[in-house]
Amino acid sequence: MELTQQQLVQWRREFHRFPETGWAEFWTTSRIADYLEQMGFEILLGNQIINRDFVRGRQQAVVEKGLANAVAYGAKQKWLEKMDGYTGCVAVLDSGKPGKTLALRFDIDCVNVMETKAPEHIPNKEDFASLNDGFMHACGHDGHITIGLGTALWLSQNKDKLSGKVKIVFQPAEEGVRGAAAIAASGVIDDADYFSASHIGFCADSGTVISNPKNFLSTTKIDIRYQGKPAHAGAAPHLGRNALLAAAHAVTQLHGISRHGEGMTRINVGVLKAGEGRNVIPSKAEIQLEVRGENKAVNQYMVDQVMRIANGIAVSFDVEYETEIMGEAVDMINDTELVGLVEEIVLAHPKVHSANANYAFNASEDATVLGRRVQEQGGKAIYFVLGADRTAGHHEAEFDFDEDQLMNGVNIYTALVQRLLG
Ligand SMILES: [Zn+2]
């Protein structure tokens, strides 16, 4: 393997062709592991990188279907055994010399979007469109995998110039902010002195880098499930316990949570499913909601209120209930040392012409969970946006990005490695 634009494009297109949804990235993980093995990395999988108590929003039916598809597409048994049902991997490179540890994170999942059939769409024109119906790399994570592999390849060829250690995290299930918590809680990057992650595209065009995006919202995705008791709605309604009514009351109370005085908060109940039939007292209801907050503390306030209401309603309506956290991300403030370093690197790069520090992200990203974990252990973290021209918005069926920016991404990461571990 040689670190060339041609190699990067080949990787990007290979991963684009077989997109896999969060927690079902079995073929993707297997293929990444194949390449990392050829490069000579130590590869950590399954329990070595996942704390199952913190796995968010993993649906068994989706996992099983994904696994069957992945096996049919050629996922290797030896990697699947080590994954043990949990996707993603961490590549470790130890220089053998004492020094700092740097953790890099690249997300690997796709979006549940059907790719356009339009003939002018480049993946159709050049024959690398999704073969996995209903799924598409419509957020550019195929590019992230590629930048991660390119960085890994450079590392494997330049190991003798470095001190310390590099850990490259190929993270599952970023969509819905579900995958990072389990990796953070595994402790696999607790020894990191530095952490870096990035996203391709968004509002940044080719040749620009946003070195210090702000306003990452803390968020928690929660499901509340009520279990009542069915009964005849005419003859014996008093024998039933009404889960639908409980959930309906919960929804209005949830939207009535008092705002927090010390920071912006949001709540949205996006889904309410309940009931079995017109003449049956409904025995089941499920609420899918999310809260957001300007910071971790006000977001936690929202979570606490949600949990209190979920419980209070269950008492009022005499129904059973459970709650499940389906995803989470936190706010994160980039460390100035790393912002400065990325700006220096970017401005010295011939193909990048601007480093814009001021951009409000106003969304959530679970790389923040990993970055915050490193910061809480005394390390430093950065998240930046790598500009790339796009043909459509993220998560749209026509999404595609400028592949020429992949090498810029690799160059920024390898320069970062050299500056921190050189
Ligand atoms: Zn994304």
Side-chain angles (χ1 to χ4, degrees):
M1 283 175 278
E2 234 183 300
L3 184 52
T4 58
Q5 173 64 13
Q6 197 190 353
Q7 173 67 74
L8 296 182
V9 168
Q10 189 193 315
W11 276 331
R12 186 263 162 156
R13 295 182 174 196
E14 182 183 10
F15 287 102
H16 189 87
R17 195 176 281 128
F18 199 74
E20 294 174 298
T21 195
W23 292 120
E25 310 94 328
F26 292 102
W27 175 82
T28 305
T29 303
S30 163
R31 201 73 191 116
I32 292 169
D34 282 342
Y35 288 122
L36 292 171
E37 185 181 48
Q38 285 172 41
M39 295 174 199
F41 279 85
E42 179 193 356
I43 305 160
L44 308 178
L45 294 139
N47 281 339
Q48 294 171 301
I49 64 162
I50 300 282
N51 180 333
R52 294 190 188 193
D53 292 341
F54 291 82
V55 166
R56 306 303 191 203
R58 177 180 176 277
Q59 292 161 294
Q60 196 59 35
V62 173
V63 169
E64 277 163 23
K65 189 155 180 271
L67 179 58
N69 284 347
V71 169
Y73 195 65
K76 280 198 190 137
Q77 202 53 40
K78 75 167 186 177
W79 300 124
L80 292 173
E81 270 166 34
K82 289 186 179 158
M83 280 182 239
D84 196 19
Y86 292 82
T87 49
C89 65
V90 176
V92 185
L93 181 118
D94 189 343
S95 71
K97 284 173 258 169
K100 305 276 191 193
T101 296
L102 169 60
L104 307 175
R105 176 278 210 170
F106 302 92
D107 43 3
I108 66 171
D109 57 329
C110 76
V111 188
N112 297 14
V113 165
M114 177 78 81
E115 189 157 17
T116 178
K117 298 274 187 275
E120 68 275 15
H121 182 60
I122 292 170
N124 291 330
K125 224 195 262 178
E126 313 231 339
D127 196 26
F128 63 95
S130 171
L131 299 176
N132 201 1
D133 236 23
F135 300 99
M136 177 190 174
H137 272 296
C139 197
H141 300 184
D142 47 351
H144 297 170
I145 297 167
T146 301
I147 294 170
L149 286 176
T151 304
L153 182 55
W154 184 91
L155 283 168
S156 71
Q157 294 169 344
N158 293 275
K159 191 176 161 178
D160 52 333
K161 295 181 195 147
L162 304 172
S163 61
K165 252 189 221 181
V166 183
K167 290 183 167 178
I168 310 178
V169 178
F170 290 92
Q171 184 210 298
E174 189 282 326
E175 299 296 342
V177 288
R178 296 173 291 155
I183 291 180
S186 77
V188 69
I189 60 163
D190 280 2
D191 59 344
D193 300 285
Y194 298 102
F195 173 85
S196 179
S198 56
H199 208 297
I200 199 164
F202 275 107
C203 67
D205 297 331
S206 289
T208 67
V209 166
I210 294 166
S211 56
N212 193 17
K214 300 189 177 79
N215 296 15
F216 287 96
L217 302 181
S218 285
T219 183
T220 308
K221 321 295 185 192
I222 305 168
D223 283 0
I224 305 172
R225 298 177 200 112
Y226 287 111
Q227 176 71 53
K229 191 167 170 287
H232 195 288
H238 58 289
L239 297 180
R241 282 180 280 133
N242 194 326
L244 181 152
L245 201 56
H249 277 262
V251 171
T252 58
Q253 289 196 14
L254 288 165
H255 275 267
I257 293 173
S258 176
R259 301 298 86 166
H260 200 289
E262 286 159 23
M264 183 281 287
T265 56
R266 300 261 190 280
I267 184 161
N268 186 53
V269 176
V271 175
L272 168 56
K273 290 188 270 196
E276 293 90 62
R278 190 185 304 280
N279 56 359
V280 181
I281 300 298
S283 71
K284 283 192 176 67
E286 180 176 283
I287 294 168
Q288 299 176 9
L289 70 102
E290 61 164 36
V291 295
R292 294 178 197 252
E294 192 174 323
N295 57 52
K296 201 174 168 181
V298 298
N299 183 66
Q300 189 57 46
Y301 158 82
M302 296 298 285
V303 173
D304 293 345
Q305 301 304 310
V306 168
M307 295 306 184
R308 198 189 330 274
I309 288 168
N311 175 58
I313 288 286
V315 173
S316 298
F317 288 83
D318 192 23
V319 292
E320 304 293 318
Y321 84 108
E322 61 175 18
T323 57
E324 187 178 352
I325 293 179
M326 305 301 285
E328 60 189 309
V330 292
D331 61 310
M332 186 180 100
I333 295 171
N334 282 343
D335 285 290
T336 47
E337 179 193 338
L338 292 179
V339 173
L341 199 51
V342 165
E343 280 177 4
E344 258 180 69
I345 289 167
V346 159
L347 293 175
H349 194 287
K351 288 193 178 153
V352 183
H353 53 76
S354 88
N356 178 4
N358 293 310
Y359 164 63
F361 201 71
N362 280 334
S364 304
E365 215 313 345
D366 70 358
T368 55
V369 174
L370 292 160
R372 277 282 283 250
R373 177 92 175 189
V374 168
Q375 288 175 327
E376 280 161 11
Q377 314 275 339
K380 290 182 174 159
I382 186 170
Y383 185 93
F384 63 91
V385 179
L386 172 70
D389 292 341
R390 295 153 318 285
T391 51
H394 288 257
H395 297 196
E396 290 177 20
E398 296 79 21
F399 179 84
D400 190 28
F401 65 85
D402 174 10
E403 290 175 329
D404 285 346
Q405 304 311 307
L406 293 168
M407 191 60 93
N408 289 351
V410 174
N411 287 338
I412 293 169
Y413 277 104
T414 57
L416 203 56
V417 172
Q418 284 171 281
R419 293 291 295 269
L420 295 170
L421 307 181

